[in-house]
Amino acid sequence: MEFQRTVLVTGGCGFIGSAALLDWVPRHPGIRFVNLDALTYAGNPLSLSEIEKARNYAFIRRDLRDPRAIRQAIADHRPDWVFHFAAESHVDRSIAGPGDFIQTNIVGTYHLLEACREFWSNPEGKLFHHVSTDEVFGSLGDEGKFTEQTPYDPHSPYSASKAASDHLVRAYGDTYGLPFKLTNCSNNYGPRQFPEKLVPLMILNALEGKPLPVYGQGLNVRDWLYVDDHVDAIWQVAERGRFGETYCVGGNCEMRNIDVVREICRAVEDLADLPDRESMITYVKDRPGHDWRYAIATDKIESELGWKPRETFRSGIRKTVQWYLDHPDWVDSVRSGEYRRWIESHYGHRGVPA
Ligand code: NAD
Ligand code: TYD
């Protein structure tokens, strides 16, 4: 059967990319999905075991930092749509070492854009959807929300690298006519998130009775969105959003970090039948340059596309805790390095299945 379209997803083995593929591959059997991922520490092919044999799914191990490999991948697979998820995504890692963030998020995005520019001489039917973060807008005080008009003011090497990639995507639209759409989204949580980010780290530590390290006084505020709601927003923007436009995506769910952690404690106590977890909260040294508050206005995507988040934090966090309880193998593999060996035996060093 001829596929109606080929969709390239970069970073499909990561947290949000895997949620997207697990939803989209079975939902759109007439579309061929190609997942391009370098399998860094954050990319776990086990996250995609449910779809790895689907006839409309293929995996290619390629690194965005390698321009020849990216050009060849675009030449071979001729995607109509590209969803660019792949990135180095953790703020604390970017503080410890910004180099990979510059190389993957900025230079890697440039390589992907160049390859699309070369192979998309006719933009008809083409789409470059750039997945970005609200952290590019900087930090809010106690009032107000980010909108599509908020000027960029990134503070961490991570957010600065994402801001640069957003600018490049828009510049390719303005200069070369690249048919792009861009989404800036708030903090995601849900299944399959690498346990270095706040939510999965706290869930696993709470399950294992380890300290729950809260930065500073835990009063910084983030807006939280369940990952499946984000995936839904991205698809709706891709299908019905306007080209050359940006859409802010958020959960309308602002919470102080300490309240997030307390809610996680309650869910863990309840679902794992464990005694008091809150006493494990430990206040630790604050993150340097820690953004105070993020909040995002979703009026544009709601009024233009009718998108709204479905999950509340309470319902979403319970699903998330339950997922980690049900998937000890995934957790063990990520932690033990076993999956790194598995990657090498399945995909070899150059990404070719053994
Ligand atoms: P993640 O760190 O879980 O996954 C990143 C994926 O990209 C991994 O599979 C990794 O192997 C791959 N990757 C990294 N470097 C690569 C390279 N050089 N070449 C090819 N693949 C590479 O990230 P995530 O949380 O799923 O985030 C996905 C996207 O969404 C990112 O662009 C991020 O900036 C954005 N975003 C994330 C959040 C969030 O809360 N997690 C919120 C808003 C936006
Ligand atoms: P994180 O999940 O790293 O996302 P981001 O920095 O992109 O918002 O952190 C979310 C919030 O939680 C942020 O304010 C930092 C804080 N935090 C902690 O208090 N303790 C931790 O161990 C981590 C990882 C984060």
Side-chain angles (χ1 to χ4, degrees):
M1 187 191 104
E2 273 285 290
F3 290 107
Q4 72 200 53
R5 177 188 299 151
T6 295
V7 168
L8 182 82
V9 170
T10 72
C13 295
F15 165 48
I16 307 175
S18 63
L21 285 166
L22 288 170
D23 184 47
W24 297 345
V25 168
R27 193 189 290 272
H28 304 285
I31 298 178
R32 178 170 182 265
F33 290 89
V34 178
N35 172 14
L36 181 156
D37 197 300
L39 299 180
T40 68
Y41 80 94
N44 188 347
L46 298 181
S47 297
L48 294 172
S49 49
E50 277 169 48
I51 54 156
E52 69 180 356
K53 294 200 165 58
R55 52 176 291 287
N56 62 332
Y57 171 74
F59 171 72
I60 51 171
R61 188 180 185 187
R62 301 282 185 280
D63 194 321
L64 287 167
R65 292 167 290 191
D66 179 347
R68 284 208 308 192
I70 297 308
R71 190 179 171 280
Q72 196 60 50
I74 300 291
D76 290 346
H77 294 280
R78 307 198 156 273
D80 302 291
W81 288 8
V82 170
F83 290 92
H84 183 29
F85 290 92
E88 289 291 338
S89 68
H90 188 42
V91 173
D92 293 325
R93 279 184 191 254
S94 82
I95 294 169
D100 285 344
F101 289 74
I102 309 303
Q103 292 309 323
T104 286
N105 299 1
I106 307 178
V107 181
T109 298
Y110 156 68
H111 293 151
L112 187 62
L113 287 166
E114 274 294 282
C116 290
R117 176 159 90 93
E118 181 176 347
F119 288 97
W120 288 356
S121 47
N122 178 3
E124 190 65 30
K126 304 290 190 276
L127 167 68
F128 189 101
H129 187 120
H130 186 57
V131 179
S132 192
T133 166
D134 63 351
E135 302 191 25
V136 297
F137 299 124
S139 179
L140 293 165
D142 291 331
E143 302 291 324
K145 290 188 176 195
F146 301 133
T147 72
E148 289 79 6
Q149 278 74 46
T150 304
Y152 276 33
D153 183 23
H155 298 298
S156 72
Y158 164 65
S159 53
S161 68
K162 290 296 292 186
S165 69
D166 292 10
H167 289 318
L168 278 174
V169 171
R170 292 198 184 95
Y172 271 65
D174 292 344
T175 312
Y176 307 115
L178 181 88
F180 79 90
K181 300 180 186 181
L182 201 154
T183 42
N184 293 105
C185 185
S186 59
N187 287 58
N188 284 215
Y189 68 99
R192 298 172 217 89
Q193 188 171 28
F194 192 84
E196 63 186 354
K197 305 268 168 64
L198 178 74
V199 167
L201 179 77
M202 295 295 164
I203 293 174
L204 295 181
N205 282 12
L207 286 172
E208 292 164 10
K210 293 183 182 162
L212 307 176
V214 171
Y215 297 165
Q217 295 181 291
L219 302 178
N220 300 64
V221 173
R222 298 289 182 264
D223 173 73
W224 293 94
L225 181 68
Y226 191 66
V227 65
D228 290 351
D229 281 329
H230 185 191
V231 164
D232 182 37
I234 291 171
W235 192 265
Q236 294 205 35
V237 169
E239 276 206 319
R240 299 187 289 118
R242 287 181 285 148
F243 281 99
E245 291 280 326
T246 295
Y247 293 83
C248 284
V249 184
N252 294 324
C253 173
E254 278 183 59
M255 289 174 75
R256 301 183 309 175
N257 290 339
I258 188 65
D259 297 324
V260 169
V261 176
R262 287 192 181 124
E263 195 67 46
I264 290 172
C265 288
R266 276 195 287 278
V268 167
E269 287 160 13
D270 194 21
L271 295 169
D273 196 19
L274 286 167
D276 170 52
R277 302 284 106 176
E278 271 196 37
S279 56
M280 291 163 194
I281 292 174
T282 319
Y283 294 94
V284 299
K285 192 164 166 288
D286 209 351
R287 171 188 282 173
H290 195 172
D291 285 341
W292 174 246
R293 175 171 163 263
Y294 303 146
I296 194 153
T298 52
D299 306 42
K300 180 173 173 179
I301 189 169
E302 287 192 25
S303 63
E304 276 191 27
L305 305 179
W307 175 88
K308 261 187 196 314
R310 273 184 287 232
E311 215 70 59
T312 63
F313 190 75
R314 187 156 289 177
S315 63
I317 203 67
R318 287 179 73 89
K319 280 191 185 178
T320 307
V321 170
Q322 193 61 54
W323 188 88
Y324 282 93
L325 277 170
D326 292 343
H327 294 84
D329 294 353
W330 187 94
V331 174
D332 285 351
S333 73
V334 166
R335 282 189 165 161
S336 68
E338 183 201 310
Y339 98 91
R340 215 107 296 286
R341 289 191 290 281
W342 185 88
I343 285 168
E344 296 309 341
S345 67
H346 276 68
Y347 298 108
H349 291 276
R350 291 167 48 240
V352 182

